Coordinates of all heavy atoms in Angstrom, one line a residue:
E119 N 8.4 9.2 -24.5 CA 9.0 10.5 -24.6 C 10.4 10.5 -24.0 O 11.3 11.2 -24.5 CB 8.1 11.6 -23.9 CG 6.8 11.9 -24.7 CD 5.9 12.8 -23.9 OE1 6.3 13.2 -22.8 OE2 4.8 13.1 -24.4
Q120 N 10.6 9.7 -22.9 CA 11.8 9.6 -22.2 C 12.7 8.5 -22.8 O 13.8 8.3 -22.3 CB 11.6 9.4 -20.7 CG 10.9 10.5 -20.0 CD 11.6 11.8 -20.1 OE1 12.8 11.9 -19.9 NE2 10.9 12.9 -20.4
S121 N 12.2 7.9 -23.9 CA 13.0 6.9 -24.6 C 13.2 5.6 -23.9 O 14.2 4.8 -24.1 CB 14.4 7.4 -25.1 OG 14.2 8.6 -25.9
F122 N 12.4 5.3 -22.9 CA 12.5 4.0 -22.1 C 11.7 2.9 -22.8 O 12.0 1.7 -22.5 CB 12.0 4.2 -20.7 CG 13.0 4.9 -19.8 CD1 12.7 6.2 -19.4 CD2 14.2 4.3 -19.4 CE1 13.6 6.9 -18.6 CE2 15.1 5.0 -18.6 CZ 14.8 6.3 -18.2
V123 N 10.7 3.2 -23.6 CA 10.0 2.2 -24.3 C 9.8 2.6 -25.8 O 9.9 3.8 -26.1 CB 8.6 1.9 -23.7 CG1 8.7 1.5 -22.2 CG2 7.7 3.2 -23.8
V124 N 9.5 1.6 -26.6 CA 9.3 1.9 -28.0 C 8.1 1.0 -28.5 O 7.9 -0.1 -28.0 CB 10.5 1.7 -28.9 CG1 10.9 0.2 -28.8 CG2 10.3 2.1 -30.3
R125 N 7.4 1.5 -29.5 CA 6.2 0.8 -30.0 C 6.6 0.0 -31.2 O 7.2 0.5 -32.1 CB 5.0 1.7 -30.3 CG 3.8 0.9 -30.8 CD 2.7 1.9 -31.1 NE 1.5 1.2 -31.5 CZ 0.4 1.7 -31.9 NH1 0.3 3.1 -31.9 NH2 -0.7 1.0 -32.3
D126 N 6.2 -1.3 -31.2 CA 6.3 -2.2 -32.4 C 5.0 -2.0 -33.1 O 4.0 -2.7 -32.8 CB 6.6 -3.6 -31.9 CG 6.7 -4.6 -33.1 OD1 6.4 -4.2 -34.2 OD2 7.2 -5.7 -32.9
H127 N 5.0 -1.2 -34.1 CA 3.8 -0.8 -34.8 C 3.2 -2.0 -35.6 O 2.0 -2.1 -35.7 CB 4.0 0.3 -35.8 CG 4.3 1.6 -35.2 ND1 3.3 2.4 -34.7 CD2 5.5 2.2 -34.9 CE1 3.9 3.5 -34.1 NE2 5.2 3.4 -34.2
S128 N 4.0 -2.9 -36.0 CA 3.5 -4.1 -36.8 C 2.7 -5.0 -35.9 O 1.7 -5.7 -36.3 CB 4.6 -4.9 -37.5 OG 5.5 -5.3 -36.5
A129 N 3.2 -5.1 -34.6 CA 2.5 -6.1 -33.6 C 1.6 -5.3 -32.7 O 0.8 -6.0 -32.0 CB 3.6 -6.8 -32.9
G130 N 1.6 -4.0 -32.7 CA 0.8 -3.2 -31.7 C 1.2 -3.4 -30.3 O 0.4 -3.3 -29.4
K131 N 2.5 -3.7 -30.1 CA 3.0 -4.0 -28.7 C 4.1 -3.0 -28.4 O 4.7 -2.4 -29.2 CB 3.5 -5.4 -28.6 CG 2.4 -6.5 -28.8 CD 2.9 -7.9 -28.6 CE 1.8 -8.9 -28.7 NZ 2.3 -10.3 -28.5
W132 N 4.4 -2.9 -27.1 CA 5.4 -2.0 -26.6 C 6.6 -2.9 -26.0 O 6.4 -3.9 -25.4 CB 4.9 -1.1 -25.5 CG 3.9 -0.2 -26.1 CD1 2.5 -0.4 -26.3 CD2 4.2 1.2 -26.5 NE1 2.0 0.8 -26.8 CE2 2.9 1.7 -27.0 CE3 5.3 2.0 -26.6 CZ2 2.8 3.0 -27.5 CZ3 5.2 3.2 -27.1 CH2 4.0 3.7 -27.6
R133 N 7.8 -2.4 -26.2 CA 9.0 -3.1 -25.7 C 9.9 -2.1 -25.0 O 9.9 -0.9 -25.3 CB 9.8 -3.7 -26.9 CG 8.9 -4.6 -27.7 CD 9.7 -5.2 -28.9 NE 8.8 -5.9 -29.9 CZ 8.4 -7.1 -29.8 NH1 8.7 -7.8 -28.7 NH2 7.6 -7.6 -30.7
A134 N 10.7 -2.6 -24.1 CA 11.7 -1.7 -23.4 C 12.9 -1.5 -24.3 O 13.2 -2.3 -25.2 CB 12.2 -2.4 -22.1
T135 N 13.5 -0.3 -24.2 CA 14.7 0.0 -25.0 C 15.9 -0.2 -24.2 O 15.9 -0.5 -23.0 CB 14.6 1.5 -25.4 OG1 14.8 2.3 -24.2 CG2 13.3 1.9 -26.1
L136 N 17.0 0.0 -24.8 CA 18.3 -0.2 -24.1 C 18.5 0.8 -23.0 O 19.3 0.7 -22.1 CB 19.5 -0.1 -25.1 CG 19.7 -1.3 -26.0 CD1 20.8 -1.0 -27.0 CD2 20.0 -2.6 -25.2
K137 N 17.8 1.9 -23.1 CA 17.9 3.0 -22.1 C 17.5 2.5 -20.7 O 18.0 3.0 -19.7 CB 17.1 4.2 -22.4 CG 17.4 5.4 -21.5 CD 16.6 6.6 -21.9 CE 17.0 7.8 -21.0 NZ 16.2 9.0 -21.3
T138 N 16.7 1.4 -20.6 CA 16.4 0.9 -19.3 C 17.6 0.4 -18.5 O 17.6 0.4 -17.3 CB 15.4 -0.3 -19.4 OG1 15.9 -1.3 -20.2 CG2 14.1 0.2 -20.0
R139 N 18.7 0.0 -19.3 CA 19.9 -0.4 -18.6 C 20.5 0.7 -17.8 O 21.3 0.5 -16.9 CB 20.9 -0.9 -19.7 CG 20.5 -2.2 -20.4 CD 21.1 -3.4 -19.6 NE 20.8 -4.6 -20.2 CZ 21.4 -5.8 -19.9 NH1 22.3 -5.7 -19.0 NH2 21.0 -6.9 -20.4
T140 N 20.3 2.0 -18.2 CA 20.9 3.1 -17.5 C 20.4 3.2 -16.1 O 21.0 3.8 -15.2 CB 20.7 4.4 -18.2 OG1 19.3 4.7 -18.2 CG2 21.2 4.3 -19.7
L141 N 19.2 2.6 -15.8 CA 18.7 2.7 -14.5 C 19.5 1.9 -13.5 O 19.4 2.2 -12.3 CB 17.2 2.1 -14.5 CG 16.2 2.9 -15.4 CD1 14.9 2.2 -15.4 CD2 16.1 4.3 -14.8
S142 N 20.3 1.0 -14.0 CA 21.1 0.2 -13.0 C 22.6 0.5 -13.1 O 23.4 -0.1 -12.5 CB 21.0 -1.3 -13.3 OG 21.4 -1.6 -14.7
S143 N 22.9 1.6 -13.9 CA 24.3 1.9 -14.2 C 25.0 2.4 -12.9 O 26.2 2.3 -12.8 CB 24.4 2.9 -15.3 OG 23.8 4.1 -14.9
G144 N 24.3 2.9 -11.9 CA 24.9 3.4 -10.7 C 25.0 2.3 -9.6 O 25.5 2.6 -8.6
Y145 N 24.5 1.1 -9.9 CA 24.5 0.1 -8.9 C 25.9 -0.7 -9.0 O 26.2 -1.3 -9.9 CB 23.4 -0.9 -9.2 CG 23.2 -2.0 -8.2 CD1 22.8 -1.6 -6.9 CD2 23.5 -3.3 -8.4 CE1 22.6 -2.6 -5.9 CE2 23.3 -4.3 -7.4 CZ 22.9 -3.9 -6.2 OH 22.7 -4.8 -5.2
R146 N 26.7 -0.5 -7.9 CA 28.0 -1.0 -7.9 C 28.3 -1.9 -6.7 O 29.4 -2.0 -6.3 CB 29.0 0.2 -7.9 CG 29.0 1.0 -9.2 CD 29.6 0.2 -10.3 NE 29.6 1.0 -11.6 CZ 28.7 0.9 -12.5 NH1 27.6 0.2 -12.3 NH2 28.8 1.7 -13.6
N147 N 27.3 -2.5 -6.2 CA 27.5 -3.4 -5.0 C 28.5 -4.5 -5.3 O 29.2 -4.9 -4.5 CB 26.1 -3.9 -4.5 CG 26.3 -4.7 -3.2 OD1 26.9 -4.2 -2.3 ND2 25.7 -5.9 -3.2
E148 N 28.4 -5.1 -6.5 CA 29.3 -6.1 -6.9 C 29.9 -5.9 -8.3 O 29.4 -6.4 -9.3 CB 28.5 -7.5 -6.9 CG 28.1 -7.9 -5.5 CD 29.2 -8.3 -4.6 OE1 30.3 -8.4 -5.0 OE2 29.0 -8.5 -3.4
D149 N 30.9 -5.0 -8.4 CA 31.4 -4.7 -9.7 C 32.1 -5.9 -10.4 O 32.2 -5.9 -11.6 CB 32.5 -3.6 -9.5 CG 31.9 -2.2 -9.2 OD1 30.8 -2.0 -9.6 OD2 32.6 -1.4 -8.7
W150 N 32.5 -6.9 -9.6 CA 33.1 -8.0 -10.2 C 32.2 -8.7 -11.2 O 32.6 -9.5 -12.1 CB 33.6 -9.0 -9.2 CG 32.5 -9.6 -8.4 CD1 32.1 -9.1 -7.1 CD2 31.7 -10.7 -8.6 NE1 31.0 -9.9 -6.7 CE2 30.8 -10.9 -7.6 CE3 31.6 -11.6 -9.7 CZ2 29.8 -11.9 -7.5 CZ3 30.7 -12.6 -9.7 CH2 29.8 -12.8 -8.6
V151 N 30.9 -8.6 -11.1 CA 29.9 -9.2 -12.0 C 30.2 -8.9 -13.5 O 30.4 -9.8 -14.3 CB 28.5 -8.8 -11.7 CG1 27.5 -9.4 -12.7 CG2 28.1 -9.3 -10.3
L152 N 30.4 -7.6 -13.8 CA 30.6 -7.2 -15.1 C 32.1 -7.5 -15.5 O 32.3 -8.0 -16.7 CB 30.4 -5.7 -15.3 CG 29.0 -5.2 -15.1 CD1 28.9 -3.7 -15.2 CD2 28.1 -5.8 -16.2
G153 N 33.0 -7.4 -14.6 CA 34.4 -7.5 -15.0 C 34.9 -8.9 -15.1 O 35.8 -9.2 -15.9
H154 N 34.3 -9.9 -14.4 CA 34.8 -11.2 -14.4 C 33.8 -12.3 -14.9 O 34.1 -13.1 -15.7 CB 35.2 -11.6 -12.9 CG 36.3 -10.7 -12.4 ND1 37.6 -10.9 -12.7 CD2 36.2 -9.7 -11.6 CE1 38.3 -10.0 -12.1 NE2 37.5 -9.2 -11.4
A155 N 32.6 -12.3 -14.3 CA 31.7 -13.4 -14.5 C 30.9 -13.2 -15.8 O 30.7 -14.2 -16.6 CB 30.7 -13.5 -13.4
V156 N 30.5 -12.0 -16.2 CA 29.6 -11.8 -17.3 C 30.2 -12.3 -18.6 O 29.5 -13.0 -19.4 CB 29.0 -10.4 -17.4 CG1 28.3 -10.1 -18.7 CG2 28.1 -10.1 -16.2
P157 N 31.4 -11.9 -19.0 CA 31.9 -12.3 -20.3 C 31.9 -13.8 -20.5 O 31.6 -14.3 -21.5 CB 33.4 -11.8 -20.3 CG 33.3 -10.6 -19.3 CD 32.3 -11.0 -18.3
K158 N 32.3 -14.6 -19.4 CA 32.3 -16.0 -19.5 C 30.9 -16.6 -19.6 O 30.7 -17.6 -20.3 CB 33.1 -16.6 -18.3 CG 34.6 -16.4 -18.4 CD 35.3 -17.0 -17.2 CE 36.8 -16.9 -17.3 NZ 37.3 -15.5 -17.4
M159 N 30.0 -16.0 -18.9 CA 28.6 -16.4 -18.9 C 28.0 -16.2 -20.3 O 27.3 -17.1 -20.8 CB 27.8 -15.6 -17.9 CG 26.3 -16.1 -17.9 SD 25.3 -15.1 -16.8 CE 25.1 -13.6 -17.7
M160 N 28.3 -15.0 -20.9 CA 27.8 -14.8 -22.2 C 28.4 -15.7 -23.3 O 27.6 -16.2 -24.2 CB 28.1 -13.3 -22.6 CG 27.5 -12.3 -21.8 SD 25.7 -12.3 -22.0 CE 25.2 -11.0 -20.8
K161 N 29.6 -16.0 -23.1 CA 30.3 -17.0 -24.1 C 29.6 -18.4 -23.9 O 29.3 -19.0 -24.9 CB 31.7 -17.1 -23.7 CG 32.5 -18.1 -24.7 CD 34.0 -18.1 -24.3 CE 34.8 -19.0 -25.2 NZ 34.4 -20.4 -25.0
L162 N 29.4 -18.8 -22.7 CA 28.7 -20.1 -22.5 C 27.3 -20.1 -23.0 O 26.8 -21.1 -23.6 CB 28.7 -20.5 -21.0 CG 28.1 -21.8 -20.6 CD1 28.8 -23.0 -21.3 CD2 28.1 -22.0 -19.1
G163 N 26.6 -19.0 -22.8 CA 25.2 -18.9 -23.3 C 25.1 -19.0 -24.8 O 24.1 -19.6 -25.2
R164 N 26.1 -18.5 -25.5 CA 26.0 -18.7 -27.0 C 26.3 -20.1 -27.4 O 26.0 -20.5 -28.5 CB 27.0 -17.7 -27.6 CG 26.5 -16.2 -27.5 CD 27.4 -15.2 -28.2 NE 26.8 -13.9 -28.2 CZ 27.0 -13.0 -27.2 NH1 27.9 -13.3 -26.2 NH2 26.5 -11.8 -27.2
E165 N 27.0 -20.8 -26.5 CA 27.4 -22.2 -26.9 C 26.2 -23.2 -26.5 O 25.9 -24.0 -27.3 CB 28.6 -22.6 -26.1 CG 29.9 -21.9 -26.5 CD 31.1 -22.2 -25.6 OE1 30.9 -23.0 -24.7 OE2 32.2 -21.7 -25.9
V166 N 25.6 -23.0 -25.4 CA 24.6 -23.9 -25.0 C 23.2 -23.5 -25.5 O 22.3 -24.4 -25.5 CB 24.5 -24.1 -23.4 CG1 25.9 -24.6 -22.9 CG2 24.2 -22.8 -22.7
L167 N 23.0 -22.3 -25.8 CA 21.7 -21.7 -26.3 C 20.6 -21.6 -25.2 O 19.8 -20.6 -25.3 CB 21.2 -22.5 -27.5 CG 22.1 -22.5 -28.7 CD1 21.5 -23.4 -29.8 CD2 22.5 -21.2 -29.2
W168 N 20.5 -22.5 -24.3 CA 19.6 -22.3 -23.2 C 20.0 -21.1 -22.4 O 21.2 -20.8 -22.2 CB 19.5 -23.6 -22.3 CG 19.0 -24.8 -23.0 CD1 19.7 -25.9 -23.4 CD2 17.6 -25.0 -23.3 NE1 18.8 -26.8 -24.0 CE2 17.5 -26.3 -23.9 CE3 16.4 -24.3 -23.0 CZ2 16.3 -26.9 -24.3 CZ3 15.2 -24.9 -23.4 CH2 15.2 -26.1 -24.1

Side-chain angles (χ1 to χ4, degrees):
E119 290 172 359
Q120 298 298 315
S121 301
F122 285 109
V123 300
V124 64
R125 183 180 181 183
D126 182 343
H127 291 278
S128 62
K131 296 183 177 182
W132 293 86
R133 306 179 192 278
T135 68
L136 287 175
K137 190 177 179 181
T138 57
R139 289 268 179 168
T140 66
L141 297 175
S142 62
S143 63
Y145 187 67
R146 292 291 182 266
N147 187 47
E148 295 291 351
D149 283 339
W150 61 266
V151 173
L152 294 177
H154 300 280
V156 171
K158 290 181 174 59
M159 181 185 73
M160 294 297 176
K161 181 178 182 293
L162 180 61
R164 291 185 173 89
E165 293 172 358
V166 301
L167 299 181
W168 292 105

